Amino acid sequence: MFGEVKIAPSILSGNFMDMERDIRMLEAAGADIIHVDVMDGHFVPNLTIGVPFVKQLRAITQLPIDVHLMISNPLEQIDWYLDAQPDYVSVHIEAVPDEDQLHGLLRHIRKRGAHPVLTLKPDMPIEALDPFIEDVDMILVMSVYPGFSGQSYIEGSEDRVGYVARLAAQRNPNLLIEVDGGVNADRTAGLVCAQGADVLVAGSGVFAASDPAAAVSAIRVAGEAAQPAGE
Ligand code: DX5
Ligand code: ZN
């Protein structure tokens, strides 16, 4: 909360026919983390990539890998993903309705050497996170409905970031706050970083840019500039 802002480009907006070139491009562009959107065509309407992709990605890059699991059955599949040795694994609160099971899943992710991350759709009350705030290293605030890149930021999502930042200040001061969806340098990176966001996912904002390195840097600069003075 309030410090260096990290940029996590989402490879969902990359070229699936030439992914290694895109990864090298992101490394050269100064990306801090690679965000991988796993969608199962059930939890969200879209279908993307899964375990083999994450394993192969792990083999070709040293950058931290952030796996965003948009799948209906994370309890059954989590070990497949953990075997691929990602750095961060996000699970959706909607996918594990039983509170004890979700506590257990987050503990399991940590035990297996990854940072546990909890996320939720924009229409899920943000207070649903409360019981799990000490279990996780990062909260992922979705600022679009998960499923597709290139959507517009849902206005007011920054208030959800502020809520998480206040909760973290009391109960988990080292917690990172990540924001995913419609993040851009012009406006929304500033909105969320003013409220305490640390990690900004950017798909179309990086890959559609004529100069992706400049885009990564512009998003970071815009986010850091919006942090309250003195923080
Ligand atoms: C949406 C995904 C996002 C998406 C972000 O379901 O979770 O990571 O790729 O794309 P942009 O930055 O284009 O909104
Ligand atoms: Zn994502």
Side-chain angles (χ1 to χ4, degrees), residues 13-228:
S13 295
N15 181 346
F16 278 63
M17 296 299 107
D18 209 346
M19 206 41 96
E20 183 161 9
R21 188 202 56 186
D22 279 352
I23 300 302
R24 300 294 169 239
M25 179 278 286
L26 294 177
E27 290 170 342
D32 299 290
I33 294 172
I34 297 181
H35 185 84
V36 180
D37 287 306
V38 174
M39 304 185 187
D40 66 356
H42 183 259
F43 183 75
V44 288
N46 202 2
L47 178 67
T48 58
I49 47 181
V51 177
F53 181 92
V54 182
K55 281 197 169 142
Q56 291 177 25
L57 178 61
R58 177 75 293 163
I60 67 155
T61 187
Q62 305 289 323
L63 278 179
I65 296 174
D66 173 28
V67 175
H68 179 187
L69 288 180
M70 288 162 272
I71 63 177
S72 294
N73 51 350
L75 290 166
E76 289 159 41
Q77 299 195 349
I78 192 68
D79 280 305
W80 305 352
Y81 287 94
L82 290 166
D83 286 346
Q85 297 185 285
D87 297 83
Y88 297 90
V89 179
S90 305
V91 292
H92 269 269
I93 201 164
E94 301 88 352
V96 189
D98 183 281
E99 202 171 300
D100 290 339
Q101 284 188 325
L102 185 51
H103 281 297
L105 176 61
L106 296 168
R107 273 198 301 272
H108 181 71
I109 293 170
R110 187 186 301 289
K111 206 168 80 197
R112 290 220 42 205
H115 294 290
V117 184
L118 192 58
T119 185
L120 71 184
K121 294 180 181 178
D123 58 357
M124 174 63 95
I126 193 74
E127 298 80 12
L129 296 172
D130 290 10
F132 308 100
I133 199 82
E134 284 101 352
D135 293 345
V136 293
D137 292 336
M138 186 155 82
I139 292 288
L140 169 53
V141 175
M142 290 304 302
S143 41
V144 297
Y145 283 91
F148 300 93
S149 60
Q151 303 181 76
S152 298
Y153 176 87
I154 296 173
E155 298 303 327
S157 297
E158 65 276 15
D159 297 341
R160 291 163 70 85
V161 174
Y163 176 88
V164 176
R166 289 188 294 278
L167 192 65
Q170 295 164 8
R171 291 171 47 193
N172 187 352
N174 294 322
L175 184 88
L176 293 172
I177 304 174
E178 180 177 37
V179 178
D180 186 4
V183 172
N184 59 48
D186 291 347
R187 193 173 70 90
T188 56
L191 287 179
V192 296
C193 287
Q195 297 299 321
D198 307 280
V199 179
L200 303 179
V201 176
S204 45
V206 169
F207 283 96
S210 54
D211 182 347
V216 166
S217 148
I219 297 168
R220 186 187 286 116
V221 166
E224 290 180 355
Q227 292 178 338

